[in-house]
Amino acid sequence: MANMAPTLGIGVSPLSALQPALNFDPVLLLKAQGVKVAFFDVDGVLTDGGLLFSEAGETLKRFNTLDGHGIKLLQQGGITPVVITGRDSQALRTRLKALGVQHAFFGTEDKRPAAEQTLAALGWDWTQAAAMGDDWPDLQVMRRCAFACAPVNAHAEVRAVAHYVTTARGGDGAAREFCDLLLVASGRYVDLLGKYAR
């Protein structure tokens, strides 16, 4: 049998020709430029919004690894992720610790003061902030941020104030879309992709 040279699969490019597959509207990217901090809700954003309870009453949550890696990439790209959630659970705290998230507020229904406290501590303001939420408690933060995002399955009022509505559902890659968009807008996406694709 004749020797056959290896071939690249469909859609695989040589390293020298690496081009990102993602494309976002330039108007959105301009709006998201300069973002230094990204606020995240949890239920309905980092999870699918479902609540599972063990027999002992412990809350169980399902997290998406795409979303988790997006949060890690944000930090590598110089954008600080901040979680503000109305609930608290050991599962959530364990997940955020694994992702290296240093700023988190638990059991916080009134999210605006927590966001303002974080901005003041970090020395930034609303013009340098982005937020992703899915329900009414997220509106006060989203409406003040320079850039707001919502999962496609968010409440209608939240989608209405979002600059970008993801194609993915909450807990199923929506947060990763948000992270990717912020990284493209910051100019760091290609560099970070290159580190994984070499």
Side-chain angles (χ1 to χ4, degrees), residues 102-141:
Q102 297 181 7
H103 303 278
F105 297 82
F106 305 98
T108 304
E109 291 293 341
D110 188 4
K111 298 186 177 186
R112 178 182 166 188
E116 290 175 337
Q117 176 184 330
T118 303
L119 291 172
L122 296 174
W124 296 322
D125 59 39
W126 290 111
T127 66
Q128 297 166 295
M132 186 173 197
D134 74 310
D135 208 344
W136 292 10
D138 304 309
L139 287 172
Q140 283 195 343
V141 173

